[in-house]
Amino acid sequence: MKKTNFSIALVTVLLCWMHTAQAQWQRVTAFPAVPVFALYSTDSALYVATANHIYHTIDGGATWQVSAPIQAAEDDEVTDLLVTGEVWYAATLLNGCHISIDRGASWQADNIGLSGLGSKNLSALAQRGDSLYVGTFGAGVFVKSLEPAGSAWTAFNLNIPWGNVQSLTVDGPLLLAGAGGNATLAHNTSPSTIWSEQAFDVFNGEINLFLAALRDSQVLLGAASQGLYRSTDAGLTWTHFNPGIGLIERAKFTAWEGKTVAMLSKPNGSFLRATTDQGLSWGAFKPNLPSGGLALDLLEHRGKLYCARTDGLWVLAPLVSTVDAREADFLTGAIYPNPATAGSVILPLTLSRKANVFMAMYDLQGKLLQILDTGSFNPGEHTLKFDYPELPNGTYVCALHVNGQVKSQLFQIQR
């Protein structure tokens, strides 16, 4: 028992130290150090695209599974990916769209209906309802039904004056296309098939491509070649913010730890900016990305911030905390029974708002033993059950993840 008490004290000290220490970016060493072009996530899995493969993990990056080669060509790259149910889609720069209906075990071209100059030079994928959209460098936007898999594409360009589409963003019924380079973007609202073009800035004679957008509560945030933007009227008008880095070639947004983070890349470097006031002001995100690679995508998954770079996959993990600044969003009761004797434990949880929730179990050395993927929960009281039929007697750490926030408890197994 003295040894167990010492272990509990040691873990408590470590958790307190981790709460005050500064998190740092780390390269995911379980993943090959190759260029990573695109990221995608569901509640249960993270998907990572290299030039010709999709890697995915369901245990927070502890183990990875790799798909079959997407295509025979070795000189292409994946520009975007999307997963819907069991079907995977990969957009490529040179050879159009590819589809896998067996979770990456095999692939086939999915280009029926893509026609015109540039129609197989793909820039972006987006899902709205039961439809899949693709942007192209030259032939505008195409759309297809998600059911059945492999259905044909049709042109979706009515009233878009530009063929080069840099980005697609879905915001409820609204679809935004960053089309053309003269500080304009195109709007389409379902179920209409007609686009309308809107200026997001005054064209000053220099290229200004609309590169990315993300909703932050009541506003839309945007990124373009000449800086960051915000809109309070669903993208009809925008105000500009200069992040001070010059012309931007690639941008991504993601929400993490109570802020919106923007990845802004250009040939000589990548920069992270963050806002906590819905884009009224932006500051440098800390910690900085390490030097040595250009950032190509940014995504939050299960409380961790992932960055796809030309030198591999990088992650910024929040340090496990026993106290959370936003703990009012959720309350947890004590794990019971503790010590546990019957093969399972119960964790009471009360949510003040809808949240994505999962639990992870670790040993005292920090090794991940098990993940319980619980999914999305509505506000109210819940009881989470964690089974451990094969774990030996000892002391363990149970980490509860609620919308990216982490709260940990220790419990013992004594049969």
Side-chain angles (χ1 to χ4, degrees):
M1 185 61 67
K2 290 182 179 180
K3 183 177 180 180
T4 300
N5 288 341
F6 174 78
S7 298
I8 294 173
L10 177 60
V11 171
T12 302
V13 170
L14 287 174
L15 291 175
C16 292
W17 173 80
M18 291 170 71
H19 179 57
T20 58
Q22 173 65 57
Q24 296 294 330
W25 288 96
Q26 303 288 334
R27 195 176 72 79
V28 179
T29 55
F31 188 87
V34 297
V36 177
F37 295 98
L39 305 173
Y40 187 84
S41 71
T42 63
D43 286 342
S44 59
L46 173 67
Y47 301 84
V48 179
T50 61
N52 203 28
H53 294 84
I54 305 298
Y55 292 77
H56 80 285
T57 177
I58 59 173
D59 56 12
T63 59
W64 294 86
Q65 298 181 31
V66 60
S67 75
I70 295 170
Q71 55 180 324
E74 295 293 337
D75 59 348
D76 205 352
E77 67 182 57
V78 175
T79 56
D80 204 358
L81 66 152
L82 188 144
V83 176
T84 173
E86 298 296 312
V87 183
W88 298 6
Y89 295 90
T92 65
L93 184 61
L94 302 177
N95 293 301
C97 187
H98 298 263
I99 185 174
S100 173
I101 60 174
D102 51 16
R103 300 182 59 81
S106 63
W107 294 86
Q108 60 185 355
D110 187 31
N111 293 328
I112 298 174
L114 295 180
S115 61
L117 185 63
S119 63
K120 294 182 178 63
N121 307 133
L122 307 187
S123 60
L125 291 167
Q127 179 184 351
R128 181 175 61 176
D130 58 0
S131 296
L132 180 66
Y133 301 83
V134 66
T136 72
F137 293 111
V141 179
F142 291 82
V143 64
K144 64 180 291 182
S145 174
L146 290 170
E147 295 290 345
S151 60
W153 297 94
T154 59
F156 194 71
N157 294 317
L158 192 57
N159 212 33
I160 293 184
W162 311 97
N164 287 332
V165 177
Q166 302 288 329
S167 62
L168 291 174
T169 301
V170 173
D171 183 42
L174 178 65
L175 179 63
L176 300 177
N182 64 340
T184 61
L185 57 88
H187 296 231
N188 170 262
T189 303
S190 179
S192 173
T193 59
I194 302 174
W195 294 84
S196 63
E197 188 179 39
Q198 303 286 339
F200 63 84
D201 204 346
V202 176
F203 182 54
N204 58 10
E206 292 192 37
I207 190 168
N208 201 359
L209 304 163
F210 195 82
L211 302 172
L214 181 74
R215 175 159 292 280
D216 185 344
S217 188
Q218 301 304 309
V219 306
L220 272 174
L221 302 178
S225 304
Q226 297 186 23
L228 295 163
Y229 295 83
R230 74 189 301 267
S231 172
T232 59
D233 56 8
L236 296 178
T237 60
W238 300 78
T239 56
H240 176 252
F241 182 92
N242 183 1
I245 64 173
L247 288 178
I248 301 162
E249 290 193 357
R250 195 171 185 124
K252 293 289 182 178
F253 291 104
T254 194
W256 189 70
E257 294 276 282
K259 57 180 72 72
T260 297
V261 185
M263 179 210 83
L264 310 172
S265 288
K266 49 194 294 188
N268 63 349
S270 298
F271 307 84
L272 296 181
R273 297 290 185 263
T275 180
T276 57
D277 56 12
Q278 299 178 357
L280 290 172
S281 62
W282 293 83
F285 177 86
K286 299 295 183 180
N288 296 323
L289 285 167
S291 60
L294 287 179
L296 304 178
D297 204 349
L298 188 73
L299 183 68
E300 182 276 337
H301 176 67
R302 286 187 166 180
K304 297 179 181 179
L305 190 59
Y306 288 89
C307 187
R309 304 207 325 170
T310 54
D311 60 350
L313 180 65
W314 293 73
V315 63
L316 180 65
L319 297 172
V320 176
S321 173
T322 56
V323 179
D324 191 274
R326 290 183 290 166
E327 190 174 329
D329 288 344
F330 69 97
L331 295 173
T332 59
I335 288 178
Y336 69 90
N338 190 8
T341 59
S344 63
V345 291
I346 300 295
L347 177 63
L349 171 65
T350 302
L351 297 173
S352 61
R353 59 188 178 96
K354 190 173 182 178
N356 291 319
V357 178
F358 74 94
M359 290 198 299
M361 186 183 296
Y362 302 83
D363 64 17
L364 291 181
Q365 285 71 47
K367 179 182 178 182
L368 177 65
L369 302 174
Q370 194 175 349
I371 286 181
L372 175 64
D373 189 7
T374 53
S376 179
F377 279 70
N378 290 321
E381 296 183 354
H382 306 275
T383 55
L384 307 181
K385 184 179 179 182
F386 207 126
D387 296 321
Y388 56 89
E390 298 180 358
L391 289 179
N393 289 351
T395 302
Y396 297 89
V397 180
C398 179
L400 176 70
H401 295 247
V402 179
N403 280 348
Q405 304 301 301
V406 184
K407 188 171 182 180
S408 299
Q409 292 190 41
L410 297 173
F411 73 98
Q412 292 180 302
I413 297 176
Q414 292 182 3
R415 291 185 178 88

